Amino acid sequence: METNKQGEWFEIVIPEKWEGVTIESLLKDVWKTPKKLLHQFRMNKDTTVNGEQLSWSTMLKAKDRFRVRLFPSEEFGVIPDKLDMQIIYEDDHVLVVNKPAGVDTHPNEDGQTGTLANGVAFYYMENGVETKVRHIHRLDRETSGAILFAKHALAGAVMDRQLEKRNISRTYLALVHGQIKREQGIIDFPIGKDRHHPNRRRVSPGGQRAVTEYQVVRYDKKQHVSVVKLDLQTGRTHQIRVHMHHQGHPIAGDKLYEKQNDGYARLALHAAKISFLHPITEERISASAVSSDRLPEILKQELNKI
């Protein structure tokens, strides 16, 4: 699909599959533009076809050049702050970053710096991208790996909807203590707040439903640890950490849920891969985060196979 960015405008050559679709239907039904943004596009006359401003009831033809103003200049929303981070996928619409361990996803108070969002703002600034920093999901401070950002309002709305409908696939690798008896399975236990520990969560009948799929990748008899691949069907706070702890196989290096220091330098949990439908082209995009500092060697070896 032929697309390009021209300043504040995005241009796409209409493919045959969208032949006969009206301008309004492309924006509203295909791209599922939110009502507020749709109204903005209409009022500001932010669309053209082959260089002309046409009625939104106009049917598009294959090879028409459709333009929409997707990239207006915006404030970052956070303070730019240089951060050592790895970009693992990027185009004009989305950005996927490999978050280091020990870094918050976004500021928790006004003026905070040192988070991944601050680092993304600095990266945008360096590259002349004037847009709000929009993270689509989060990772715990101690967890490393792939995080998805949207680079304009329409992409953000589409990706938020994908996340809500569980159409964004996230695969994690973890090193856990012990040998898991069943090599694969589904953990389906609700998670709620722990009344005795304000920063912790626990399995609770009154909590929100939480579903984690797991598969044992490797067991190391000498170290008595297992490498586990995990996929989330839901996205609760500390979900993997709580579920594995509840199963009797806590994650190595988890100082919040383990009663004692187990000798690991950091939480051995890494968001290894993310997969999603592109918000504009609808192509399947997969991005892998194949490295991270201070991960146990046994986990690094399996990470390279993802």
Side-chain angles (χ1 to χ4, degrees):
M1 192 176 292
E2 185 182 339
T3 67
N4 65 83
K5 180 182 178 183
Q6 299 176 356
E8 294 188 345
W9 294 81
F10 168 69
E11 181 179 271
I12 184 168
V13 177
I14 297 299
E16 289 185 4
K17 68 177 181 178
W18 292 342
E19 172 96 42
V21 172
T22 65
I23 295 173
E24 183 168 21
S25 184
L26 175 61
L27 293 170
K28 184 178 178 180
D29 302 322
V30 178
W31 288 343
K32 294 180 172 56
T33 306
K35 288 183 180 179
K36 184 177 179 180
L37 190 56
L38 200 67
H39 180 72
Q40 179 182 312
F41 287 157
R42 192 190 296 271
M43 291 297 101
N44 294 340
K45 299 182 178 180
D46 283 341
T47 64
T48 66
V49 179
N50 301 321
E52 297 182 59
Q53 288 182 344
L54 301 178
S55 165
W56 277 24
S57 62
T58 301
M59 288 188 178
L60 297 166
K61 300 174 183 177
K63 297 186 180 179
D64 275 346
R65 292 189 172 272
F66 175 70
R67 298 177 80 203
V68 58
R69 189 169 173 261
L70 290 185
F71 309 106
S73 179
E74 297 178 299
E75 297 290 335
F76 297 129
V78 297
I79 301 169
D81 186 20
K82 188 173 178 60
L83 180 70
D84 185 15
M85 61 185 192
Q86 179 190 19
I87 307 300
I88 54 178
Y89 179 85
E90 182 180 16
D91 61 24
D92 290 330
H93 311 278
V94 294
L95 174 76
V96 185
V97 181
N98 185 1
K99 184 184 87 68
V103 173
D104 287 324
T105 298
H106 58 83
N108 295 306
E109 56 186 37
D110 290 342
Q112 184 179 344
T113 57
T115 75
L116 186 66
N118 298 117
V120 169
F122 187 89
Y123 175 77
Y124 284 166
M125 185 176 67
E126 278 195 318
N127 290 276
V129 178
E130 298 178 351
T131 190
K132 182 180 177 181
V133 177
R134 296 177 172 89
H135 63 276
I136 302 303
H137 60 107
R138 309 173 189 179
L139 290 176
D140 295 344
R141 177 182 175 86
E142 298 87 355
T143 305
S144 55
I147 292 189
L148 173 63
F149 290 83
K151 295 176 73 176
H152 54 77
L154 178 56
V158 173
M159 302 313 298
D160 282 343
R161 192 175 298 109
Q162 281 197 40
L163 185 70
E164 183 181 331
K165 293 185 175 181
R166 303 175 188 173
N167 291 330
I168 296 178
S169 172
R170 291 170 286 167
T171 300
Y172 293 75
L173 277 186
L175 184 68
V176 304
H177 291 289
Q179 182 177 15
I180 301 174
K181 293 180 180 179
R182 292 184 59 190
E183 290 193 355
Q184 60 184 27
I186 296 177
I187 305 170
D188 187 349
F189 291 112
I191 292 176
K193 291 184 177 180
D194 188 328
R195 290 177 298 171
H196 305 291
H197 301 275
N199 296 324
R200 286 174 47 159
R201 301 293 189 273
R202 65 184 181 90
V203 167
S204 169
Q208 294 178 300
R209 191 183 183 206
V211 182
T212 305
E213 296 181 50
Y214 75 87
Q215 179 182 348
V216 179
V217 176
R218 177 179 173 184
Y219 171 64
D220 188 292
K221 187 175 182 180
K222 185 176 180 181
Q223 299 182 55
H224 195 43
V225 291
S226 300
V227 177
V228 186
K229 183 172 77 170
L230 307 114
D231 289 280
L232 297 182
Q233 291 186 16
T234 56
R236 308 303 174 204
T237 301
H238 297 176
Q239 179 172 319
I240 292 174
R241 299 164 72 177
V242 172
H243 272 171
M244 296 313 298
H245 183 268
H246 184 74
Q247 296 294 96
H249 301 285
I251 297 175
D254 195 341
K255 295 178 175 61
L256 183 60
Y257 289 93
E258 277 284 76
K259 292 181 179 179
Q260 70 234 359
N261 191 334
D262 58 9
Y264 287 88
R266 53 156 289 191
L267 180 72
L269 177 62
H270 182 73
K273 186 177 182 180
I274 188 167
S275 178
F276 56 92
L277 289 178
H278 193 279
I280 302 299
T281 67
E282 300 181 319
E283 296 173 286
R284 172 62 63 178
I285 304 294
S286 292
S288 297
V290 296
S291 65
S292 185
D293 290 342
R294 298 179 292 120
L295 277 177
E297 188 60 35
I298 186 174
L299 199 57
K300 287 181 180 179
Q301 292 170 8
E302 299 303 325
L303 187 60
N304 290 324
K305 300 175 185 178
I306 290 292

